[in-house]
Amino acid sequence: MTTAGTDAPLTRLALFGTSADPPTRGHRALLEGLLGLFPQVLTWASDNPLKQHGAPLEVRTALLGALVAAIDDPRLSLEQELSSPWAVETLERARARWPDRELVFVVGSDLAGQIHRWRRAEELLRSCRLGIARRQGWPLQAADLERLRGLGATVDLLPLAIPPSASSRIRAQPDPAQVPSELWPVLLQHNLYGLSEP
């Protein structure tokens, strides 16, 4: 297990998928933080088989696209063709497109305890590095890290502190302050999540 720093080799490619339901200030902070650690960052919206979604995938993709456009960094791109409900399929697609790159699959610390239950988890973990970003309010558990290592994971603890905003909280109790301003045109167009512009 290592701690990733700003000296990540140029061959490393950070992959961050999210349900983007909706994207929050936490998503923006994570993407911007990854740009400080990796030479290239790819993101996409996906259907999570463990979640009920508040908006169709097409709309969530548009929301994430608005966030990527607002960050406006050529090293960050929305690669929606990587999207799959199953992370292992996403990794297969990424490996086919970038066979010479070292793939770093990025998750928040809230997911560290779930990965061992994902489809073909061992195959997934052996096919990439696993980058874990600490989300405030979701501390990493030593037992979860040990389980991941036991499945063959190479874990990078990313030196990031992501604010505790969560899409599920916004859906349950709409809070405009947690929504990046660049998302409002799409949110209002589709009348999503019970939000009204502040």
Side-chain angles (χ1 to χ4, degrees):
M1 180 170 53
T2 61
T3 299
T6 54
D7 58 344
L10 292 177
T11 57
R12 284 199 184 167
L13 188 59
L15 307 173
F16 174 63
T18 172
S19 58
D21 195 23
T24 66
R25 292 190 182 279
H27 290 99
R28 179 168 187 147
L30 178 55
L31 289 171
E32 290 174 335
L34 292 174
L35 287 168
L37 298 175
F38 294 95
Q40 188 176 1
V41 179
L42 309 180
T43 189
W44 62 92
S46 62
D47 283 329
N48 185 328
L50 302 177
K51 293 182 180 180
Q52 299 258 337
H53 298 291
L57 181 59
E58 179 182 345
V59 174
R60 289 182 278 120
T61 301
L63 289 168
L64 186 59
L67 183 61
V68 169
I71 293 173
D72 191 23
D73 189 308
R75 298 172 301 133
L76 171 64
S77 59
L78 179 70
E79 302 288 347
Q80 191 56 26
E81 61 273 16
L82 295 178
S83 179
S84 168
W86 315 110
V88 68
E89 291 183 359
T90 289
L91 261 296
E92 288 170 350
R93 293 172 187 176
R95 178 68 61 209
R97 281 191 61 187
W98 296 280
D100 299 326
R101 304 293 292 275
E102 185 174 27
L103 304 180
V104 182
F105 192 80
V106 176
V107 298
S109 54
D110 54 309
L111 295 182
Q114 302 176 15
I115 294 173
H116 70 281
R117 298 194 303 266
W118 289 5
R119 178 177 288 187
R120 292 158 56 197
E122 189 169 349
E123 180 182 342
L124 163 71
L125 292 170
R126 292 181 185 278
S127 68
C128 64
R129 301 181 75 90
L130 181 67
I132 301 180
R134 292 177 176 87
R135 288 185 64 191
Q136 296 173 20
W138 286 271
L140 276 170
Q141 303 298 323
D144 292 334
L145 292 174
E146 188 64 31
R147 184 187 291 118
L148 290 169
R149 286 197 297 269
L151 290 172
T154 301
V155 178
D156 294 328
L157 300 180
L158 305 178
L160 302 172
I162 306 305
S165 57
S167 301
S168 57
R169 291 180 187 169
I170 292 175
R171 294 194 305 272
Q173 188 174 7
D175 180 3
Q178 296 301 318
V179 178
S181 60
E182 54 270 13
L183 304 187
W184 284 107
V186 179
L187 289 169
L188 296 176
Q189 176 188 352
H190 295 279
N191 192 28
L192 293 172
Y193 308 109
L195 289 163
S196 54
E197 190 168 11

